Amino acid sequence: RSMITTTKRTSEGIIEFDGYAFHHYADEQGFTGGNGHMVEDLDGNLWFGGSRNLVRFNRKGLTTYESADGFETPGILNIGMSRDGKLYAASNDFYINQFDGKKFQSVRPSLPADARAMWNSESVLLDSRNEWWILTTERLYRFASNDFATLFKQKPLAVYDSRNGLKANQMYRDRKSV
């Protein structure tokens, strides 16, 4: 007999239905993600990013990742997967945290110090060509992704704003548009 599992994220935690019963995970059980995003990795783990940290949910329970695990910044605006299956989480201060299976490596691309992310817009995207697209409130930046560890030293491949084809310098990416 097969088991049906459904998981739903709420502002108070995670509710899982395992085919037989509902299970609620909140602060008491280690879910401290708060409001945020969710993605499933290649191993079937669910990752939840929120205002305080990053949480992995699987059959063994919840695992919370913080600075001791190399995860540097809270305030996750989006979570994604690279072509080779590596999970990344991007924060509202443009730090990108990439998971190697055990811990995180954190880098901040070379952006202006005054660059700001829009709180309700996904700020970082890794495309199918393995290039990083970083959206600030003023410009759109594109970086090569040859080596994640050196991303903080790279100059952008391109910077897009109203001077080169965009209609305005106020940027926003609707999560439903891509």
Side-chain angles (χ1 to χ4, degrees):
R1 144 177 121 181
S2 66
M3 184 178 359
I4 299 170
T5 301
T6 304
T7 306
K8 177 171 177 45
R9 183 190 58 80
T10 69
S11 61
E12 293 82 33
I14 304 167
I15 299 171
E16 175 194 27
F17 180 68
D18 66 8
Y20 303 102
F22 288 94
H23 307 280
H24 185 252
Y25 302 91
D27 281 344
E28 301 81 34
Q29 291 79 27
F31 180 78
T32 59
N35 294 329
H37 301 282
M38 177 176 76
V39 70
E40 182 177 5
D41 68 18
L42 298 176
D43 295 325
N45 299 304
L46 295 177
W47 292 82
F48 300 90
S51 59
R52 295 181 278 172
N53 55 25
L54 189 69
V55 175
R56 180 180 64 192
F57 176 70
N58 61 22
R59 291 283 153 235
K60 296 176 186 171
L62 299 174
T63 305
T64 302
Y65 293 91
E66 297 172 330
S67 60
D69 307 296
F71 188 78
E72 290 301 325
T73 58
I76 300 303
L77 289 180
N78 61 301
I79 305 172
M81 299 289 293
S82 65
R83 288 188 315 196
D84 61 357
K86 289 184 181 173
L87 177 116
Y88 70 88
S91 66
N92 57 9
D93 54 2
F94 301 109
Y95 276 87
I96 305 171
N97 298 273
Q98 189 174 60
F99 190 61
D100 68 7
K102 294 182 182 172
K103 63 185 299 180
F104 282 87
Q105 181 177 13
S106 180
V107 298
R108 185 181 190 275
S110 181
L111 296 169
D114 64 348
R116 300 286 175 257
M118 198 169 251
W119 67 272
N120 61 352
S121 183
E122 295 182 1
S123 58
V124 176
L125 174 73
L126 184 61
D127 72 14
S128 62
R129 294 178 304 197
N130 222 28
E131 292 179 345
W132 293 100
W133 292 79
I134 301 175
L135 180 65
T136 71
T137 55
E138 302 285 323
R139 290 177 180 82
L140 177 62
Y141 296 84
R142 184 170 52 105
F143 290 88
S145 181
N146 303 335
D147 178 17
F148 183 78
T150 64
L151 185 59
F152 72 98
K153 293 192 266 186
Q154 296 178 26
K155 292 186 187 239
L157 296 172
V159 179
Y160 304 98
D161 59 18
S162 62
R163 291 175 289 181
N164 52 21
L166 296 178
K167 291 187 179 195
N169 284 344
Q170 285 82 29
M171 307 284 175
Y172 175 79
R173 177 180 177 248
D174 182 346
R175 295 178 188 151
K176 298 174 187 167
S177 64
V178 176

